Amino acid sequence: MKRQKNAVARTANESGFTAILSRLVHLVPGCHAAAFVDQEGEAVDVAGFGDEYEVKVAGAYANVLVHDAVALGPVKRLVFSGKGRSYVIHALPEG
């Protein structure tokens, strides 16, 4: 799948995470977007290509998946691969 050419159109100012997320998107082959969400699933920042709302919603759903998976034991990373899209969710420690 080709990387989209249009960067996420931001509705908020850049944060201290913007450069980190942008670098992640550019360094990971095939990565289209990245989101940093808090424990409640609220997007702290996003970067990459495509629709900002879709990236934020994916981040919120990822948060739900992490919380459900934690019931089974400690979670560091969840990976979902599909025909046209894959998601890598990396859980960070609190703090």
Side-chain angles (χ1 to χ4, degrees), residues 15 19 29 58 71 88:
S15 77
V88 177

Side-chain angles (χ1 to χ4, degrees), residues 1-7 31-32 48-51 54 85:
M1 179 184 268
K2 281 189 161 184
R3 183 174 284 184
Q4 295 179 22
K5 293 181 181 179
N6 298 327
C31 184
H32 293 277
F49 304 92
D51 183 84
E54 288 181 11
R85 188 173 289 187

Side-chain angles (χ1 to χ4, degrees), residues 6-64:
N6 298 327
V8 169
R10 302 183 67 82
T11 58
N13 292 330
E14 291 187 1
S15 77
F17 300 106
T18 306
I20 296 167
L21 294 173
S22 293
R23 183 165 165 79
L24 174 72
V25 170
H26 289 286
L27 289 176
V28 176
C31 184
H32 293 277
F36 181 58
V37 297
D38 64 19
Q39 285 189 318
E40 295 177 1
E42 185 70 30
V44 175
D45 202 351
V46 298
F49 304 92
D51 183 84
E52 180 188 36
Y53 178 75
E54 288 181 11
V55 176
K56 287 181 175 182
V57 169
Y61 277 117
N63 187 59
V64 172

